[in-house]
């Protein structure tokens, strides 16, 4: 087991950082196959980590990181979804070994938004139970290839988002009601796959730790109106508890379950699923947090058709929080205290240690005289790390903190106009250039913070 020291890290995800499009046996992923608007970078080159990996790990070491949270690209390890690709496995072996030589704990996530397009083409991806065994087979390849050196693992990153993101999961059903039913069925299959993966993990990596990476939803009611209070509670069930309750307890919240049954959206299950779901519990919970959410009850005849799928029901809708500072890319507002509030709620419900796996500020950084001055990012990170220090000082088990992101990545929908990195990647949406790495002021600030450690 790893030493109980606070881990300082940074994060990336494979399809947003690697590039290496269909190189060395990599198959087509759902992230590769999706349609990207003109003038927006796609994932074919991304930040070109596939060809800059050794340099990137050296920058991590210089930064002082003690953990690197990344993801395996499912379609690089199993291009067609069925047969292992040794060249892809070799790449991750090299990455892991480079991290270990730099005294950095490698912390991979198995499923971060992309999957082999071949599985979508063959049987609809997660709509079919066939995808469950494909995922477990993929996890087995990873555990056997890397489990001798990798002891901290994430299962599924942000199941809330990946269940609803049609361009990343292949749910292109035209009928709106059927699409919703499919979405909940896909999410159920992901949960069952996660549980079977944990079961396998106990056998293959018995000394390791594994758990889900959640998109933490800190939900405030827009006002103390009772209807808004209830709407906020319903939102918590639909946006967070349904995923984490399943991960930890093997069941859905009761009100959530009843609503899906009423709508005809409750997923098809099999009797033997119950034992699998309840017997295999995670060791930790990864926390992705950028901002809080404000919720209110719907008004009569209100149109919700333009909301994301997970907001399309009669129980709640987005409200507005006038107390938070909003920016172009942080449209929900910046709320450092929400990180503390949300983690406290999660611990009191699940009683599992946590690690912050993503937390960062998006900004359209500009390179001036070969430098990036980003005091806005330093302010954001500093304020959120202070809330982590508060959390730890009160005795809650927080394993570490990972800033999002290590370096500028291709954003899912905004390309390289939206940047989160501690390290600037010198490319634009339309000109890849050399993807030169340039540490930002926030990189050097974080370097000092890591050296100084947590405040008491």
């Amino acid at each position: 087991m790893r030493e109980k020291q606070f881990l300082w890290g940074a994060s990336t995800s494979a399809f947003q950082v690697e590039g290496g499009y269909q190189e060395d046996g990599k198959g087509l992923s759902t992230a590769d196959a999706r349609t990207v608007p003109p003038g927006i970078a796609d994932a074919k080159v991304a930040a070109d980590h596939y060809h800059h990996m050794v340099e990137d790990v050296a920058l991590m070491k210089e930064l002082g990181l003690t953990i690197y949270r990344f993801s395996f690209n499912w379609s690089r390890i199993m291009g067609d979804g069925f047969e292992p690709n040794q060249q892809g496995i070799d790449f991750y072996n090299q990455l892991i070994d480079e991290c270990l030589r730099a005294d950095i704990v490698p912390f991979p996530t198995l499923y971060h938004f992309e999957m082999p397009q071949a599985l979508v083409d063959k049987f609809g991806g997660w709509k079919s139970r066939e995808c469950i065994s494909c995922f477990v087979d993929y996890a087995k390849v990873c555990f056997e290839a890397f489990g001798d050196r990798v002891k901290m693992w994430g299962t599924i990153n942000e199941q809330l988002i990946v269940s609803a993101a049609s361009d990343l999961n292949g749910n292109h059903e035209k009928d709106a009601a059927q699409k919703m039913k499919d979405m909940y069925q896909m999410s159920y299959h992901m949960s069952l796959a996660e549980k079977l993966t944990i079961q396998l993990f106990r056998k293959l990596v018995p000394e390791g730790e594994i758990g889900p990476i959640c998109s933490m939803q800190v939900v405030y009611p827009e006002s103390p109106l009772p209807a808004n209070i209830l709407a906020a509670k319903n939102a918590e069930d639909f946006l967070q508890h349904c995923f984490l309750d399943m991960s930890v307890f093997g069941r859905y919240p009761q009100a959530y379950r009843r609503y899906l049954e009423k709508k005809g959206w409750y997923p098809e299950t099999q009797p033997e699923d119950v034992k699998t779901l309840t017997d295999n519990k995670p060791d930790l919970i990864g926390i992705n947090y950028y901002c809080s959410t404000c919720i209110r009850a719907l008004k009569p005849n209100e149109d919700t058709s333009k909301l994301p799928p997970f907001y399309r029901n009669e129980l709640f809708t987005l409200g507005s929080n006038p107390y938070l500072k909003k920016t172009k890319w942080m449209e929900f507002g910046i709320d450092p205290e929400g990180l503390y509030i949300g983690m406290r709620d999660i611990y009191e419900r699940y009683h599992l240690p946590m690690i912050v796996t993503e937390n960062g500020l998006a900004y359209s950084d500009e390179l001036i005289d070969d430098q990036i001055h980003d005091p806005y990012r330093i302010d954001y990170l500093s304020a959120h790390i202070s809330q982590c220090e508060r959390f730890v000082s009160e005795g809650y088990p927080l394993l570490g903190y990972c800033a999002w992101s290590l370096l500028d990545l291709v954003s899912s929908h905004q390309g390289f106009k939206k940047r989160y990195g501690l390290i600037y990647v010198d490319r634009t949406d339309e000109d890849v250039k050399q993807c030169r790495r340039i540490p930002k002021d926030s990189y050097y600030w974080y370097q000092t913070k890591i050296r100084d450690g947590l405040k008491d």
Side-chain angles (χ1 to χ4, degrees):
M1 299 291 285
R2 73 190 144 67
E3 295 180 7
K4 300 298 181 180
Q5 59 182 9
F6 193 83
L7 297 165
W8 292 99
S11 296
T12 63
S13 83
F15 89 89
Q16 293 177 275
V17 72
E18 283 181 4
Y21 174 69
Q22 293 190 297
E23 287 188 44
D24 299 329
K26 182 191 177 300
L28 192 72
S29 76
T30 50
D32 297 325
R34 68 197 179 110
T35 301
V36 177
I40 300 294
D42 59 23
K44 290 184 175 64
V45 175
D48 202 27
H49 174 68
Y50 193 68
H51 300 107
H52 290 257
M53 181 266 290
V54 173
E55 176 188 359
D56 290 341
V57 176
L59 284 165
M60 293 183 222
K61 182 177 182 179
E62 182 183 343
L63 179 55
L65 297 191
T66 53
I67 189 168
Y68 174 43
R69 185 261 174 160
F70 61 101
S71 72
F72 295 132
N73 193 317
W74 185 350
S75 57
R76 192 178 299 284
I77 288 178
M78 300 180 81
D80 65 354
F82 295 96
E83 294 297 325
N85 171 37
Q86 188 59 47
Q87 289 175 291
I89 293 169
D90 290 345
F91 170 74
Y92 292 115
N93 271 321
Q94 185 183 1
L95 169 60
I96 289 163
D97 289 343
E98 288 287 338
C99 285
L100 292 173
R101 278 193 287 271
D103 294 321
I104 297 169
V105 173
F107 178 21
T109 299
L110 289 166
Y111 181 40
H112 194 134
F113 291 177
E114 65 78 34
M115 64 187 297
Q117 180 64 32
L119 300 183
V120 175
D121 296 340
K122 187 173 178 65
F123 47 69
W126 287 110
K127 282 188 282 188
S128 170
R129 283 183 77 103
E130 288 185 67
C131 201
I132 297 172
S133 59
C134 288
F135 183 79
V136 176
D137 288 346
Y138 155 63
K140 184 173 187 286
V141 169
C142 293
F143 296 154
E144 290 180 340
F146 315 122
D148 60 326
R149 288 152 294 151
V150 177
K151 305 304 178 184
M152 280 185 73
W153 296 71
T155 53
I156 297 172
N157 180 80
E158 296 188 354
Q159 192 171 337
L160 166 70
I161 308 302
V162 75
S163 297
S166 298
D167 57 341
L168 296 173
N169 65 33
N171 183 10
H172 300 302
E173 171 62 48
K174 300 298 183 186
D175 179 77
Q178 184 62 44
K179 186 170 186 176
M180 293 297 281
K181 182 174 176 60
D182 288 348
M183 181 179 78
Y184 291 109
Q185 186 69 59
M186 294 168 84
S187 181
Y188 177 78
H189 287 160
M190 289 179 203
S191 294
L192 192 56
E194 177 182 72
K195 291 293 191 170
L196 289 166
T197 296
I198 292 173
Q199 185 179 69
L200 179 65
F201 182 78
R202 301 289 178 229
K203 298 174 183 176
L204 298 181
V205 195
E207 71 279 27
E209 299 168 291
I210 193 168
I213 311 297
C214 79
S215 173
M216 187 171 74
Q217 302 297 303
V218 180
V219 178
Y220 304 139
E222 191 175 62
S223 77
L225 179 74
N228 288 343
I229 301 290
L230 180 58
K233 289 186 176 298
N234 287 331
E236 287 179 335
D237 280 350
F238 272 80
L239 305 180
Q240 178 166 287
H241 295 160
C242 63
F243 306 108
L244 286 182
D245 280 15
M246 185 61 86
S247 285
V248 180
F249 305 133
R251 56 170 168 75
Y252 290 130
Q254 181 65 17
Y256 172 89
R257 179 188 180 110
R258 293 293 295 167
Y259 180 82
L260 294 191
E261 289 173 341
K262 177 182 174 183
K263 298 291 288 188
W265 296 343
Y266 194 79
E268 295 177 11
T269 67
Q270 294 183 4
E272 61 269 25
D273 295 349
V274 175
K275 181 173 174 55
T276 300
L277 292 170
T278 55
D279 283 0
N280 300 290
K281 299 183 184 299
D283 304 296
L284 54 84
I285 298 173
I287 301 295
N288 292 355
Y289 176 79
Y290 296 90
C291 56
S292 54
T293 303
C294 191
I295 292 293
R296 61 172 173 79
L298 271 72
K299 299 172 183 175
N301 303 315
E302 185 171 5
D303 178 19
T304 61
S305 62
K306 291 185 171 59
L307 291 173
F310 37 88
Y311 285 115
R312 289 181 197 158
N313 63 48
E314 306 96 315
L315 301 179
F316 58 90
T317 191
L318 286 170
S320 179
N321 189 339
Y323 301 102
L324 303 180
K325 178 185 175 183
K326 299 175 177 62
T327 69
K328 177 181 178 181
W329 297 122
M330 310 295 284
E331 60 231 12
F332 280 58
I334 296 172
D335 180 17
E337 196 163 15
L339 177 57
Y340 167 84
I341 292 168
M343 289 195 298
R344 198 172 89 171
D345 284 348
I346 284 180
Y347 182 76
E348 298 299 352
R349 190 176 180 102
Y350 302 110
H351 297 280
L352 286 174
M354 286 166 280
I355 178 169
V356 176
T357 37
E358 291 183 24
N359 177 239
L361 177 79
Y363 202 89
S364 297
D365 298 311
E366 293 184 29
L367 187 64
I368 300 174
D369 295 331
D370 224 32
Q371 295 180 318
I372 294 290
H373 302 300
D374 55 345
Y376 38 82
R377 186 169 290 109
I378 293 171
D379 289 345
Y380 180 96
L381 295 174
S382 177
H384 286 78
I385 290 171
S386 291
Q387 294 298 323
C388 293
E389 292 171 332
R390 175 186 179 186
F391 191 70
V392 170
S393 73
E394 293 180 2
Y396 289 103
L398 187 64
L399 305 175
Y401 173 90
C402 297
W404 182 267
S405 51
L406 173 69
L407 64 167
D408 291 335
L409 312 172
V410 59
S411 175
S412 300
H413 299 97
Q414 295 87 15
F416 277 87
K417 295 178 177 65
K418 184 180 183 182
R419 295 174 181 262
Y420 285 93
L422 299 167
I423 300 166
Y424 186 82
V425 176
D426 187 20
R427 63 155 295 178
T428 67
D429 284 323
E430 297 176 316
D431 186 357
V432 173
K433 304 185 196 179
Q434 300 300 313
C435 289
R436 189 164 56 100
R437 275 60 170 145
I438 303 168
K440 304 177 187 179
D441 286 358
S442 56
Y443 174 97
Y444 296 108
W445 174 86
Y446 194 41
Q447 184 182 58
T448 300
K449 178 62 191 174
I450 292 171
R451 189 183 307 125
D452 293 344
L454 286 178
K455 292 181 180 177
D456 295 331

